[in-house]
Amino acid sequence: MTTLITRHEVHDFDTWRAVFGGHQVNRRAHGATGHRIFRSGNDVTVLTDFPDRASAEKFLADPALRDVVARAGFVDTPVTSICEFVDTEQY
């Protein structure tokens, strides 16, 4: 499994959330299998799971993503990282 980690600040969380929700079809079209959203005020971190790195890279390269960024009300440029799953352990 590969996870795309995206961190950004938004002007209004509810506006961002609505735009993010409307982009689900596009995420799925690129192979995304799910996501987790973390929030501290208007600072948002999204972990989106893909079956492999190539799928995550194609999603990031999709021109439709620029429209989503424009409509979502980002304060800053999103910081992204693609990470490969290594291990998990419960405590």
Side-chain angles (χ1 to χ4, degrees), residues 2-3 5 31 40-41 82 89:
T2 299
T3 301
I5 301 171
S40 178
I82 299 174
E89 190 169 333

Side-chain angles (χ1 to χ4, degrees), residues 15-88:
T15 298
W16 172 86
R17 184 69 173 101
V19 173
F20 178 84
H23 196 60
Q24 180 175 334
V25 170
N26 190 273
R27 288 190 299 277
R28 285 182 173 210
H30 286 284
T33 59
H35 68 267
R36 294 169 301 284
I37 299 172
F38 298 87
R39 173 186 182 196
S40 178
N42 286 339
D43 186 42
V44 180
T45 301
V46 181
L47 283 66
T48 307
D49 297 324
F50 290 88
D52 52 53
R53 182 178 198 86
S55 297
E57 289 172 344
K58 287 179 184 174
F59 171 73
L60 284 176
D62 187 332
L65 194 55
R66 281 184 245 167
D67 176 56
V68 170
V69 170
R71 292 185 297 117
F74 288 16
V75 171
D76 54 3
T77 301
V79 176
T80 61
S81 179
I82 299 174
C83 301
E84 305 296 329
F85 177 75
V86 175
D87 186 27
T88 187

